[in-house]
Amino acid sequence: MTDKVFKTYREQCRILQQRGLVIEHERFFTHKMQQDDYYNIINGYKKYFLTSTSPDHYIPDTTFEQVYALYEFDQAIRSLFLTELLRIEKHVKSLIAYHFSAQHGYDHRQYLSLDCFKHASQNNIHFADIVITKLRGDIIRSRRTGNAAICHYLSAYGYVPLWVLNSVISFGRIAHFYSCMYLAEQQAVAYHFKMPASTMDGFIYFLNDFRNACAHGNRMYTSDSQPLFRKFIPDTPIHAQLDIPRNQQGNYIAGKSDMLAKLIAMRYFMGTADFRRLKNRFRKAHRRMAAIVPLEVLKQIDTGMGLSPTILSML
């Protein structure tokens, strides 16, 4: 394997030009490389603009501006989604704390007990024990680092309610917490989103991966990493309404882990008016990209996202 060596912006420009990428405005290219870098802009967004790889060669007349338009689209929708995902995270955490605490109280010395979680099988006990241990660790760590809310409740009352603990635990932790809750409590939370508890259990892990991908600057229009928990969203009535085809195994060919899946997830966890605004802003960002990217490339991008104008209008 050939070692990667440092290359100046001009050298990067020449390499891309040798591969068939049109760069008419080198100052624009250099400016964008300074704002981000070659790896993020080129390697992350070249896929649909190439005729071959090893070595890369671009479709004739492909410009840097076209590749950058896809990059900008991805940046725009990442920012759009992250704002809403943080709201969803708070909403889900709040509902879980409410319905769990209504049954098991607010004192962590009591609710961090196996009796408060499913423990009918060894698997139940194993996973609940992991969650309990990690939550206790979160409290100890927050006290050690001086978290104001945690320290206040421990000092003033000697315990930490779950709704306060929510401020220091991750979305992934609360996803595991939900999986360990009794079914009736899970159903009470899922009812707010008009779905069964089992569907909620699948969605919440997907949302956690989605939220982390946004927060860490990963690509949105296509996946660039293996998910930490669960790759696919559950099958939903929306999949059937959109008349998405199935493969030979009976699985939907779109809307499970792609951009369509992300939009379906947002549709379930956002209010109707809020989702409509999100969808309109998504369309606006897509139109900006579509005005620059060649039609044949755009079709491939949309197919990879699981989207079409008809599907987007039906969501």
Side-chain angles (χ1 to χ4, degrees):
M1 183 179 293
T2 304
D3 289 338
K4 297 292 184 181
V5 298
F6 173 81
K7 291 181 176 62
T8 65
Y9 297 126
R10 175 162 290 187
E11 288 171 330
Q12 293 172 10
C13 180
R14 296 294 174 263
I15 289 170
L16 289 170
Q17 288 173 328
Q18 289 167 10
R19 294 174 179 174
L21 184 65
V22 177
I23 303 177
E24 295 181 343
H25 308 288
E26 291 191 22
R27 290 182 64 183
F28 177 77
F29 171 84
T30 300
H31 179 61
K32 296 307 178 185
M33 290 299 118
Q34 290 170 342
Q35 288 183 327
D36 204 324
D37 60 45
Y38 184 98
Y39 178 83
N40 289 332
I41 298 175
I42 300 300
N43 288 2
Y45 300 91
K46 66 184 179 180
K47 175 181 176 181
Y48 294 108
F49 297 92
L50 297 176
T51 59
S52 63
T53 58
S54 299
D56 291 346
H57 197 79
Y58 287 83
I59 297 168
D61 301 321
T62 298
T63 68
F64 173 72
E65 285 78 7
Q66 291 167 354
V67 177
Y68 193 77
L70 177 56
Y71 168 87
E72 281 196 313
F73 166 70
D74 208 45
Q75 305 305 299
I77 61 175
R78 183 188 302 112
S79 177
L80 173 62
F81 284 136
L82 182 57
T83 299
E84 300 304 331
L85 283 164
L86 292 175
R87 290 195 183 104
I88 291 170
E89 178 180 355
K90 288 182 179 180
H91 190 187
V92 170
K93 283 182 173 181
S94 176
L95 290 172
I96 288 174
Y98 178 85
H99 289 290
F100 180 83
S101 299
Q103 299 299 319
H104 305 289
Y106 46 78
D107 190 329
H108 76 277
R109 296 167 299 185
Q110 296 173 2
Y111 70 71
L112 291 184
S113 163
L114 278 176
D115 291 337
C116 297
F117 300 93
K118 289 185 289 190
H119 55 276
S121 70
Q122 282 303 120
N123 275 343
N124 291 156
I125 293 172
H126 173 70
F127 287 115
D129 189 56
I130 290 173
V131 169
I132 290 167
T133 299
K134 289 186 175 180
L135 288 172
R136 286 175 176 158
D138 289 332
I139 293 173
I140 293 169
R141 184 166 49 256
S142 298
R143 185 174 193 174
R144 186 172 62 246
T145 57
N147 179 274
I150 301 296
C151 289
H152 167 72
Y153 268 84
L154 286 172
S155 175
Y157 307 106
Y159 59 79
V160 181
L162 182 56
W163 60 84
V164 175
L165 185 55
N166 267 341
S167 65
V168 300
I169 62 177
S170 68
F171 201 2
R173 188 87 82 235
I174 207 69
H176 286 301
F177 189 100
Y178 179 83
S179 293
C180 293
M181 289 166 62
Y182 285 112
L183 179 59
E185 295 156 24
Q186 290 178 330
Q187 290 171 331
V189 175
Y191 176 80
H192 292 271
F193 303 107
K194 301 179 181 178
M195 64 178 69
S198 59
T199 300
M200 175 82 178
D201 193 51
F203 262 124
I204 197 170
Y205 286 98
F206 181 87
L207 286 170
N208 175 65
D209 282 336
F210 186 10
R211 175 242 190 260
N212 288 342
C214 284
H216 297 152
N218 295 347
R219 292 195 297 270
M220 290 291 102
Y221 84 102
T222 185
S223 177
D224 66 349
S225 63
Q226 290 297 316
L228 182 59
F229 297 123
R230 299 182 184 176
K231 185 174 184 179
F232 303 112
I233 65 169
D235 291 352
T236 70
I238 291 178
H239 288 88
Q241 291 165 13
L242 295 176
D243 200 23
I244 299 171
R246 297 177 184 263
N247 59 23
Q248 291 182 340
Q249 290 73 40
N251 299 318
Y252 288 112
I253 65 171
K256 295 295 288 180
S257 63
D258 49 19
M259 178 55 65
L260 176 57
K262 294 177 174 108
L263 287 167
I264 290 173
M266 302 301 278
R267 178 67 187 86
Y268 271 99
F269 285 85
M270 295 177 67
T272 301
D274 289 336
F275 179 74
R276 187 182 300 116
R277 282 191 290 271
L278 174 99
K279 188 170 66 170
N280 288 339
R281 291 175 66 185
F282 180 93
R283 283 172 165 170
K284 184 177 180 180
H286 186 273
R287 285 196 298 270
R288 286 198 300 267
M289 174 187 66
I292 299 173
V293 171
L295 181 60
E296 290 306 311
V297 173
L298 182 66
K299 288 179 180 178
Q300 292 184 61
I301 293 170
D302 286 348
T303 299
M305 294 194 294
L307 293 176
S308 70
T310 301
I311 284 178
L312 198 54
S313 67
M314 291 173 66
L315 276 174

